[in-house]
Short mmCIF file of all heavy atoms in Angstrom, two decimals:
data_model
loop_
_atom_site.label_atom_id
_atom_site.label_comp_id
_atom_site.label_asym_id
_atom_site.label_seq_id
_atom_site.Cartn_x
_atom_site.Cartn_y
_atom_site.Cartn_z
N PHE A 1 134.70 112.25 60.16
CA PHE A 1 135.84 111.58 60.79
C PHE A 1 136.01 110.17 60.24
O PHE A 1 137.11 109.75 59.90
CB PHE A 1 135.63 111.53 62.31
CG PHE A 1 136.76 110.90 63.06
CD1 PHE A 1 137.98 111.56 63.18
CD2 PHE A 1 136.63 109.65 63.65
CE1 PHE A 1 139.04 110.98 63.86
CE2 PHE A 1 137.67 109.07 64.35
CZ PHE A 1 138.88 109.74 64.45
N ARG A 2 134.90 109.42 60.15
CA ARG A 2 134.97 108.06 59.61
C ARG A 2 133.61 107.64 59.09
O ARG A 2 132.59 107.90 59.72
CB ARG A 2 135.42 107.08 60.71
CG ARG A 2 135.56 105.64 60.24
CD ARG A 2 136.31 104.80 61.25
NE ARG A 2 135.53 104.50 62.42
CZ ARG A 2 135.22 103.25 62.82
NH1 ARG A 2 135.61 102.21 62.11
NH2 ARG A 2 134.54 103.05 63.92
N ARG A 3 133.59 106.99 57.95
CA ARG A 3 132.36 106.47 57.37
C ARG A 3 132.08 105.06 57.90
O ARG A 3 133.00 104.28 58.14
CB ARG A 3 132.45 106.44 55.84
CG ARG A 3 132.20 107.79 55.19
CD ARG A 3 130.72 108.05 55.03
NE ARG A 3 130.42 109.39 54.56
CZ ARG A 3 129.17 109.80 54.30
NH1 ARG A 3 128.15 108.98 54.47
NH2 ARG A 3 128.94 111.02 53.90
N LEU A 4 130.79 104.75 58.06
CA LEU A 4 130.36 103.41 58.48
C LEU A 4 129.10 103.04 57.72
O LEU A 4 128.22 103.89 57.49
CB LEU A 4 130.06 103.37 59.98
CG LEU A 4 131.21 103.30 60.96
CD1 LEU A 4 130.70 103.45 62.39
CD2 LEU A 4 131.97 101.99 60.82
N ASP A 5 129.00 101.77 57.34
CA ASP A 5 127.72 101.27 56.84
C ASP A 5 126.76 101.17 58.01
O ASP A 5 127.15 100.86 59.14
CB ASP A 5 127.90 99.90 56.18
CG ASP A 5 128.65 99.98 54.87
OD1 ASP A 5 128.34 100.88 54.06
OD2 ASP A 5 129.55 99.14 54.64
N VAL A 6 125.50 101.43 57.73
CA VAL A 6 124.45 101.37 58.74
C VAL A 6 123.43 100.33 58.31
O VAL A 6 123.07 100.25 57.12
CB VAL A 6 123.78 102.75 58.91
CG1 VAL A 6 122.52 102.66 59.76
CG2 VAL A 6 124.77 103.74 59.51
N GLY A 7 122.94 99.54 59.25
CA GLY A 7 122.01 98.49 58.86
C GLY A 7 120.95 98.18 59.89
O GLY A 7 121.01 98.63 61.05
N PHE A 8 119.97 97.39 59.44
CA PHE A 8 119.04 96.78 60.38
C PHE A 8 119.84 95.82 61.25
O PHE A 8 120.65 95.05 60.75
CB PHE A 8 117.97 95.98 59.64
CG PHE A 8 117.04 96.81 58.81
CD1 PHE A 8 117.18 96.86 57.43
CD2 PHE A 8 116.02 97.52 59.41
CE1 PHE A 8 116.32 97.62 56.66
CE2 PHE A 8 115.15 98.29 58.65
CZ PHE A 8 115.29 98.34 57.26
N ALA A 9 119.62 95.87 62.53
CA ALA A 9 120.26 94.93 63.45
C ALA A 9 119.32 93.75 63.66
O ALA A 9 118.11 93.93 63.89
CB ALA A 9 120.56 95.61 64.78
N LEU A 10 119.88 92.53 63.58
CA LEU A 10 119.09 91.31 63.70
C LEU A 10 119.79 90.35 64.67
O LEU A 10 121.02 90.41 64.82
CB LEU A 10 118.95 90.61 62.35
CG LEU A 10 118.40 91.43 61.18
CD1 LEU A 10 118.61 90.69 59.88
CD2 LEU A 10 116.92 91.71 61.39
N PRO A 11 119.04 89.46 65.30
CA PRO A 11 119.70 88.44 66.12
C PRO A 11 120.68 87.64 65.26
O PRO A 11 120.44 87.42 64.07
CB PRO A 11 118.53 87.57 66.60
CG PRO A 11 117.32 88.44 66.50
CD PRO A 11 117.57 89.34 65.33
N LYS A 12 121.77 87.22 65.84
CA LYS A 12 122.78 86.47 65.09
C LYS A 12 122.17 85.21 64.48
O LYS A 12 121.50 84.44 65.16
CB LYS A 12 123.94 86.09 66.01
CG LYS A 12 125.20 85.67 65.26
CD LYS A 12 125.80 86.85 64.52
CE LYS A 12 127.03 86.47 63.72
NZ LYS A 12 127.53 87.60 62.92
N GLY A 13 122.41 85.04 63.17
CA GLY A 13 121.88 83.87 62.47
C GLY A 13 120.42 83.98 62.10
O GLY A 13 119.79 82.99 61.74
N SER A 14 119.85 85.18 62.15
CA SER A 14 118.42 85.37 61.87
C SER A 14 118.05 84.88 60.48
O SER A 14 118.70 85.22 59.48
CB SER A 14 118.05 86.85 62.00
OG SER A 14 116.72 87.07 61.56
N ASP A 15 116.96 84.10 60.41
CA ASP A 15 116.46 83.63 59.11
C ASP A 15 115.69 84.71 58.37
O ASP A 15 115.24 84.50 57.23
CB ASP A 15 115.60 82.38 59.28
CG ASP A 15 114.48 82.55 60.31
OD1 ASP A 15 114.35 83.66 60.89
OD2 ASP A 15 113.74 81.58 60.54
N LEU A 16 115.54 85.87 58.97
CA LEU A 16 114.89 87.00 58.30
C LEU A 16 115.86 87.78 57.42
O LEU A 16 115.44 88.48 56.50
CB LEU A 16 114.28 87.94 59.35
CG LEU A 16 113.66 89.24 58.88
CD1 LEU A 16 112.49 88.99 57.94
CD2 LEU A 16 113.20 90.08 60.09
N ALA A 17 117.16 87.65 57.66
CA ALA A 17 118.16 88.48 56.98
C ALA A 17 118.08 88.40 55.45
O ALA A 17 118.09 89.44 54.78
CB ALA A 17 119.57 88.12 57.47
N PRO A 18 117.99 87.22 54.82
CA PRO A 18 117.94 87.18 53.36
C PRO A 18 116.74 87.92 52.77
O PRO A 18 116.87 88.63 51.77
CB PRO A 18 117.87 85.67 53.06
CG PRO A 18 118.49 85.02 54.25
CD PRO A 18 118.06 85.86 55.41
N ALA A 19 115.58 87.77 53.40
CA ALA A 19 114.38 88.45 52.91
C ALA A 19 114.52 89.96 53.05
O ALA A 19 114.17 90.73 52.12
CB ALA A 19 113.15 87.97 53.68
N LEU A 20 115.04 90.40 54.18
CA LEU A 20 115.17 91.83 54.41
C LEU A 20 116.19 92.44 53.45
O LEU A 20 115.99 93.55 52.93
CB LEU A 20 115.58 92.06 55.86
CG LEU A 20 115.43 93.47 56.42
CD1 LEU A 20 114.01 93.99 56.23
CD2 LEU A 20 115.80 93.48 57.90
N ARG A 21 117.29 91.73 53.20
CA ARG A 21 118.30 92.25 52.27
C ARG A 21 117.71 92.38 50.87
O ARG A 21 117.92 93.40 50.19
CB ARG A 21 119.51 91.32 52.24
CG ARG A 21 120.66 91.86 51.39
CD ARG A 21 121.81 90.90 51.33
NE ARG A 21 121.43 89.64 50.71
CZ ARG A 21 121.30 89.47 49.39
NH1 ARG A 21 121.50 90.48 48.55
NH2 ARG A 21 120.95 88.30 48.90
N GLN A 22 116.98 91.39 50.42
CA GLN A 22 116.39 91.48 49.08
C GLN A 22 115.32 92.56 49.01
O GLN A 22 115.13 93.19 47.96
CB GLN A 22 115.82 90.12 48.68
CG GLN A 22 116.90 89.09 48.40
CD GLN A 22 116.41 87.92 47.56
OE1 GLN A 22 115.64 88.10 46.62
NE2 GLN A 22 116.86 86.72 47.90
N ALA A 23 114.62 92.79 50.11
CA ALA A 23 113.63 93.87 50.13
C ALA A 23 114.30 95.23 49.96
O ALA A 23 113.82 96.09 49.21
CB ALA A 23 112.83 93.82 51.43
N VAL A 24 115.42 95.44 50.65
CA VAL A 24 116.15 96.71 50.49
C VAL A 24 116.64 96.85 49.05
O VAL A 24 116.53 97.93 48.45
CB VAL A 24 117.32 96.79 51.48
CG1 VAL A 24 118.15 98.06 51.22
CG2 VAL A 24 116.82 96.79 52.92
N ASP A 25 117.16 95.77 48.48
CA ASP A 25 117.61 95.83 47.09
C ASP A 25 116.46 96.19 46.15
O ASP A 25 116.65 96.93 45.18
CB ASP A 25 118.23 94.49 46.67
CG ASP A 25 119.66 94.34 47.15
OD1 ASP A 25 120.27 95.34 47.57
OD2 ASP A 25 120.18 93.20 47.10
N ARG A 26 115.28 95.66 46.41
CA ARG A 26 114.13 95.99 45.56
C ARG A 26 113.77 97.47 45.69
O ARG A 26 113.45 98.13 44.69
CB ARG A 26 112.94 95.11 45.94
CG ARG A 26 111.66 95.42 45.12
CD ARG A 26 111.85 95.14 43.64
NE ARG A 26 112.23 93.76 43.45
CZ ARG A 26 111.37 92.74 43.40
NH1 ARG A 26 110.07 92.97 43.54
NH2 ARG A 26 111.80 91.51 43.19
N LEU A 27 113.83 97.99 46.91
CA LEU A 27 113.54 99.42 47.10
C LEU A 27 114.55 100.28 46.34
O LEU A 27 114.20 101.33 45.80
CB LEU A 27 113.59 99.77 48.59
CG LEU A 27 112.53 99.13 49.48
CD1 LEU A 27 112.79 99.46 50.94
CD2 LEU A 27 111.12 99.58 49.07
N ILE A 28 115.81 99.82 46.29
CA ILE A 28 116.84 100.54 45.54
C ILE A 28 116.54 100.49 44.05
O ILE A 28 116.59 101.51 43.35
CB ILE A 28 118.23 99.96 45.85
CG1 ILE A 28 118.62 100.26 47.30
CG2 ILE A 28 119.29 100.55 44.90
CD1 ILE A 28 119.90 99.55 47.75
N SER A 29 116.20 99.32 43.55
CA SER A 29 116.02 99.15 42.11
C SER A 29 114.76 99.82 41.58
O SER A 29 114.73 100.27 40.43
CB SER A 29 116.00 97.66 41.74
OG SER A 29 114.87 97.01 42.31
N ASP A 30 113.72 99.93 42.43
CA ASP A 30 112.48 100.53 41.92
C ASP A 30 112.37 102.03 42.20
O ASP A 30 111.38 102.67 41.84
CB ASP A 30 111.25 99.79 42.45
CG ASP A 30 110.98 99.99 43.94
OD1 ASP A 30 111.54 100.92 44.55
OD2 ASP A 30 110.17 99.21 44.50
N GLY A 31 113.38 102.61 42.84
CA GLY A 31 113.40 104.06 43.05
C GLY A 31 112.82 104.53 44.36
O GLY A 31 112.96 105.72 44.72
N THR A 32 112.16 103.64 45.11
CA THR A 32 111.58 104.03 46.39
C THR A 32 112.66 104.49 47.37
O THR A 32 112.49 105.48 48.10
CB THR A 32 110.80 102.86 47.01
OG1 THR A 32 109.80 102.43 46.09
CG2 THR A 32 110.15 103.28 48.32
N TYR A 33 113.76 103.78 47.37
CA TYR A 33 114.89 104.11 48.25
C TYR A 33 115.39 105.53 48.00
O TYR A 33 115.61 106.31 48.94
CB TYR A 33 116.00 103.09 48.01
CG TYR A 33 117.29 103.30 48.76
CD1 TYR A 33 117.39 103.00 50.12
CD2 TYR A 33 118.42 103.77 48.10
CE1 TYR A 33 118.59 103.15 50.79
CE2 TYR A 33 119.62 103.93 48.77
CZ TYR A 33 119.71 103.62 50.11
OH TYR A 33 120.90 103.79 50.77
N GLN A 34 115.55 105.88 46.73
CA GLN A 34 116.04 107.22 46.39
C GLN A 34 115.03 108.29 46.83
O GLN A 34 115.43 109.37 47.28
CB GLN A 34 116.30 107.31 44.89
CG GLN A 34 117.51 106.52 44.41
CD GLN A 34 117.24 105.00 44.32
OE1 GLN A 34 116.10 104.56 44.39
NE2 GLN A 34 118.30 104.23 44.16
N ARG A 35 113.75 107.99 46.74
CA ARG A 35 112.73 108.94 47.20
C ARG A 35 112.83 109.16 48.70
O ARG A 35 112.67 110.29 49.19
CB ARG A 35 111.33 108.43 46.85
CG ARG A 35 110.96 108.49 45.38
CD ARG A 35 109.58 107.93 45.15
NE ARG A 35 108.58 108.62 45.98
CZ ARG A 35 107.52 108.03 46.52
NH1 ARG A 35 107.33 106.73 46.36
NH2 ARG A 35 106.67 108.73 47.21
N ILE A 36 113.10 108.10 49.44
CA ILE A 36 113.23 108.21 50.89
C ILE A 36 114.43 109.09 51.24
O ILE A 36 114.33 110.00 52.08
CB ILE A 36 113.36 106.82 51.53
CG1 ILE A 36 112.05 106.05 51.39
CG2 ILE A 36 113.75 106.94 53.01
CD1 ILE A 36 112.13 104.59 51.82
N LEU A 37 115.56 108.80 50.63
CA LEU A 37 116.76 109.58 50.95
C LEU A 37 116.60 111.04 50.53
O LEU A 37 117.04 111.96 51.24
CB LEU A 37 117.99 108.97 50.26
CG LEU A 37 118.77 107.95 51.11
CD1 LEU A 37 117.89 106.79 51.55
CD2 LEU A 37 119.97 107.42 50.34
N ARG A 38 115.93 111.27 49.41
CA ARG A 38 115.70 112.64 48.96
C ARG A 38 114.76 113.37 49.93
O ARG A 38 114.93 114.56 50.20
CB ARG A 38 115.12 112.62 47.54
CG ARG A 38 114.97 114.01 46.93
CD ARG A 38 114.75 113.93 45.43
NE ARG A 38 113.62 113.09 45.06
CZ ARG A 38 113.72 111.90 44.46
NH1 ARG A 38 114.90 111.38 44.17
NH2 ARG A 38 112.65 111.21 44.15
N ARG A 39 113.78 112.66 50.44
CA ARG A 39 112.84 113.26 51.39
C ARG A 39 113.57 113.84 52.60
O ARG A 39 113.21 114.89 53.12
CB ARG A 39 111.83 112.20 51.84
CG ARG A 39 110.83 112.70 52.87
CD ARG A 39 109.97 111.57 53.40
NE ARG A 39 108.91 112.09 54.25
CZ ARG A 39 108.09 111.34 54.99
NH1 ARG A 39 108.22 110.03 54.97
NH2 ARG A 39 107.16 111.90 55.74
N TRP A 40 114.63 113.15 53.05
CA TRP A 40 115.33 113.56 54.25
C TRP A 40 116.67 114.22 53.96
O TRP A 40 117.44 114.52 54.89
CB TRP A 40 115.51 112.36 55.18
CG TRP A 40 114.19 111.77 55.56
CD1 TRP A 40 113.68 110.57 55.16
CD2 TRP A 40 113.18 112.38 56.36
NE1 TRP A 40 112.41 110.38 55.67
CE2 TRP A 40 112.09 111.49 56.41
CE3 TRP A 40 113.09 113.60 57.04
CZ2 TRP A 40 110.92 111.78 57.13
CZ3 TRP A 40 111.93 113.88 57.74
CH2 TRP A 40 110.86 112.98 57.77
N GLY A 41 116.95 114.49 52.69
CA GLY A 41 118.15 115.24 52.34
C GLY A 41 119.46 114.52 52.57
O GLY A 41 120.47 115.16 52.87
N VAL A 42 119.46 113.18 52.40
CA VAL A 42 120.68 112.41 52.67
C VAL A 42 121.10 111.58 51.45
O VAL A 42 121.68 110.50 51.59
CB VAL A 42 120.50 111.50 53.92
CG1 VAL A 42 120.34 112.35 55.16
CG2 VAL A 42 119.33 110.55 53.74
N GLU A 43 120.83 112.10 50.25
CA GLU A 43 121.17 111.35 49.04
C GLU A 43 122.64 110.92 48.96
O GLU A 43 122.92 109.83 48.43
CB GLU A 43 120.81 112.16 47.79
CG GLU A 43 119.34 112.49 47.62
CD GLU A 43 118.99 113.89 48.11
OE1 GLU A 43 119.55 114.29 49.17
OE2 GLU A 43 118.19 114.55 47.45
#
């Protein structure tokens, strides 16, 4: 019906957000992210 981005929810203005975003990007770049999605069939 409609697509939505899904994310970690954080308190507004959280100082953790930049670190968490870069961590997800690293998982994408090193292939770990793709392994996770493949494990659960949601590539």
Side-chain angles (χ1 to χ4, degrees):
F1 182 71
R2 182 167 73 120
R3 280 277 173 177
L4 282 173
D5 289 315
V6 169
F8 294 103
L10 306 168
K12 196 68 182 175
S14 172
D15 53 1
L16 175 61
L20 196 54
R21 185 183 62 78
Q22 290 200 39
V24 175
D25 280 346
R26 178 63 58 83
L27 295 174
I28 292 172
S29 65
D30 71 15
T32 303
Y33 176 76
Q34 289 76 13
R35 287 179 56 215
I36 292 172
L37 267 58
R38 185 165 55 250
R39 178 187 187 189
W40 301 110
V42 294
E43 298 98 321

